[in-house]
Amino acid sequence: MVKDTSMIETMFILILYLKGSAIEFMGHYDVQGQWKEMGMSGCLSMKRTLKRNGWKDSQVSNTRYSCEKRKVYVEKDKFGRIVVSRIIE
């Protein structure tokens, strides 16, 4: 029997939109070896880092990164870390 370990949480996540649809998202990241929830400051920091490394939102291809407070499912990945598995619309 497989135990369901997913939970619903409201949290800030970084979302990559392509043509209006969320195609990638993250709500946790590695900070000096510790897996942590981003929060608003971490999300904005990650977005700034992406821009410094060359990312540009594009109106032509309709792609953009956005920090948003959303209701999500979180669960453990294969490494035992808590990750956002899906956004609840």
Side-chain angles (χ1 to χ4, degrees), residues 36-76:
K36 294 190 162 205
E37 185 176 322
M38 287 181 133
M40 178 55 107
S41 63
C43 188
L44 292 173
S45 174
M46 185 67 70
K47 189 174 174 182
R48 280 191 304 274
T49 300
L50 288 166
K51 285 186 179 187
R52 269 188 245 126
N53 289 328
W55 172 264
K56 291 184 174 98
D57 292 344
S58 171
Q59 291 182 348
V60 174
S61 62
N62 200 12
T63 57
R64 66 183 176 93
Y65 273 104
S66 177
C67 290
E68 299 177 12
K69 188 173 187 178
R70 302 291 290 278
K71 190 176 280 194
V72 297
Y73 281 109
V74 294
E75 60 188 16
K76 288 188 178 185

Side-chain angles (χ1 to χ4, degrees), residues 71-88:
K71 190 176 280 194
V72 297
Y73 281 109
V74 294
E75 60 188 16
K76 288 188 178 185
D77 68 2
K78 64 183 179 182
F79 303 107
R81 301 177 301 194
I82 300 294
V83 296
V84 175
S85 62
R86 164 174 85 175
I87 299 171
I88 302 171

